[in-house]
Amino acid sequence: MGIARVRWGIVATGNISTAFTKDLAELAGEAVVTAVASRSLDSADRFADQFGIEHRYDDYRRLLEDGHVDVLYIGTPHPQHYAIARAALQAKVAVLCEKPVTLTARQARDLVAVAHENNTLFAEAMWMRTHPVVQAFFADLAKGVIGEPMEALADFGFHKPQLPARLLDPALGGGALMDGGIYPITFVHMALGSPAELKAVGSVNEDGVDLNVAMAWRYDSGAVAALTCGLRSQNPWTASVSGPEGSLLLPHRFHHPEYYVRSTAAGEERIDVPTHGLGYHYEAAEMMRALRAGLVECPALPHAATIEILDLLDETRRQIGVSYPGDDEYLGG
């Protein structure tokens, strides 16, 4: 597509949409935000005034119908992703949807099918995949600097005395897994792929919300992985892959790090990789490259991985006894 400046529409005006829209300024010559939709026009107007956005709506359907956007960024709570993304793809508007892109793998498979049916670009906004430090880390791993990876560790846990209400609301896909656990799962999947065996345990509160989860994965290669996520403790928040020749480590807040550490027989080395902005513009740039190339799938944000990771989340939830309204048919409940 010969698109000079890609026109973005933003759905929802919360923290993640604000951060993403701020970061699009890093791509000012290539991207422009032309529309925003929120549940209330007041909220849409405030957001639009803050960022100088021309078109404001209190309904995402009107945003799609008016035809002012090339790609839609969806930053709503998790359960709303599916319907909005599906409507956009059916309207042949490209979609970059926050992770987890849906609450179940079945819904994700459907969105990928709808994207192909309409020849329209669709991707999950897993910003970690496009981060320059993370990409350099996995390029190093692929070169074989630590030998065959045999163990992966990843942890994403934090605690706040007052957590955002949605994190503790099962109707909104609340809990540690969907907001935090998706990062360790994505990291280990990037390192080792899907496991042959998954075991999970969790601490679930009286509302059915997972507060702490631990997962163990086994691979036919002999590799193993340990993954943790939680909302009740200040965790190391690190991720690593180890092999017979050494290890690679991403430090605290591994999902958007400033460097990684390579440890081998040659010693320990800190590898710094230049970055700028908040980190969200990297996924936006990948999305725009795919859009201009007329692709249905963004190479840096592959459909198969999105679906496989939701399969793993489905199975983890099944094992620890976490369900969301209406998903019994997906999880065999």
Side-chain angles (χ1 to χ4, degrees):
M1 288 186 186
I3 302 172
R5 255 176 126 201
V6 172
R7 300 172 303 163
W8 286 82
I10 308 293
V11 176
T13 55
N15 290 340
I16 191 72
S17 293
T18 299
F20 180 84
T21 305
K22 276 181 184 166
D23 229 26
L24 275 180
E26 300 280 336
L27 306 169
E30 304 173 61
V32 59
V33 181
T34 52
V36 60
S38 182
R39 282 175 301 180
S40 80
L41 197 54
D42 279 351
S43 178
D45 279 337
R46 278 195 301 274
F47 193 89
D49 289 344
Q50 180 182 351
F51 292 108
I53 301 167
E54 184 179 358
H55 304 286
R56 308 99 189 267
Y57 304 93
D58 59 6
D59 186 338
Y60 71 85
R61 294 175 197 84
R62 285 191 44 231
L63 184 157
L64 293 172
E65 287 163 7
D66 281 4
H68 297 302
V69 302
D70 303 307
V71 54
L72 197 67
Y73 169 82
I74 301 170
T76 62
H78 312 324
Q80 296 161 28
H81 291 174
Y82 176 60
I84 300 170
R86 205 175 197 284
L89 293 169
Q90 288 179 320
K92 296 189 176 358
V93 174
V95 169
L96 179 64
C97 181
E98 265 311 325
K99 77 281 164 212
V101 71
T102 54
L103 288 176
T104 67
R106 180 181 289 195
Q107 291 174 334
R109 284 186 174 90
D110 179 63
L111 289 182
V112 169
V114 173
H116 281 280
E117 283 163 19
N118 290 279
N119 195 31
T120 299
L121 178 64
F122 166 65
E124 180 176 48
M126 174 43 83
W127 65 318
M128 181 178 75
R129 287 185 181 276
T130 63
H131 194 282
V133 179
V134 175
Q135 291 192 329
F137 175 102
F138 281 104
D140 220 0
L141 181 66
K143 282 182 210 154
V145 295
I146 63 166
E148 183 184 2
M150 295 307 295
E151 181 180 282
L153 303 172
D155 164 67
F156 192 110
F158 61 90
H159 175 67
K160 293 179 181 173
Q162 290 296 319
L163 287 166
R166 69 172 187 83
L167 280 178
L168 298 173
D169 187 345
L172 294 180
L177 262 178
M178 288 302 197
D179 272 78
I182 192 168
Y183 286 107
I185 289 174
T186 298
F187 173 85
V188 176
H189 188 273
M190 289 173 77
L192 297 171
S194 288
E197 182 181 11
L198 177 160
K199 298 225 166 139
V201 292
S203 167
V204 179
N205 73 9
E206 62 276 8
D207 295 323
V209 173
D210 52 297
L211 302 179
N212 276 312
V213 183
M215 296 158 270
W217 294 3
R218 179 189 62 78
Y219 292 82
D220 289 336
S221 67
V224 294
L227 306 82
T228 50
C229 61
L231 300 171
R232 284 292 179 264
S233 52
Q234 301 295 358
N235 290 22
W237 212 333
T238 59
S240 63
V241 183
S242 305
E245 308 302 324
S247 65
L248 300 171
L249 168 75
L250 288 169
H252 182 68
R253 292 181 181 258
F254 72 85
H255 60 309
H256 60 119
E258 294 175 7
Y259 64 92
Y260 69 95
V261 178
R262 181 198 298 137
S263 299
T264 63
E268 188 173 288
E269 186 179 0
R270 171 176 162 146
I271 315 293
D272 285 278
V273 181
T275 62
H276 58 97
L278 300 173
Y280 298 99
H281 66 92
Y282 297 114
E283 64 184 356
E286 294 285 358
M287 190 73 177
M288 294 195 300
R289 270 192 281 280
L291 186 70
R292 290 188 168 108
L295 303 178
V296 173
E297 179 176 25
C298 185
L301 302 164
H303 291 162
T306 291
I307 291 167
E308 286 171 25
I309 285 161
L310 275 159
D311 275 328
L312 294 166
L313 282 162
D314 281 356
E315 175 58 18
T316 300
R317 290 200 293 124
R318 189 190 69 75
Q319 289 190 22
I320 66 173
V322 168
S323 61
Y324 302 134
D327 77 0
D328 286 349
E329 62 183 294
Y330 305 135
L331 297 174

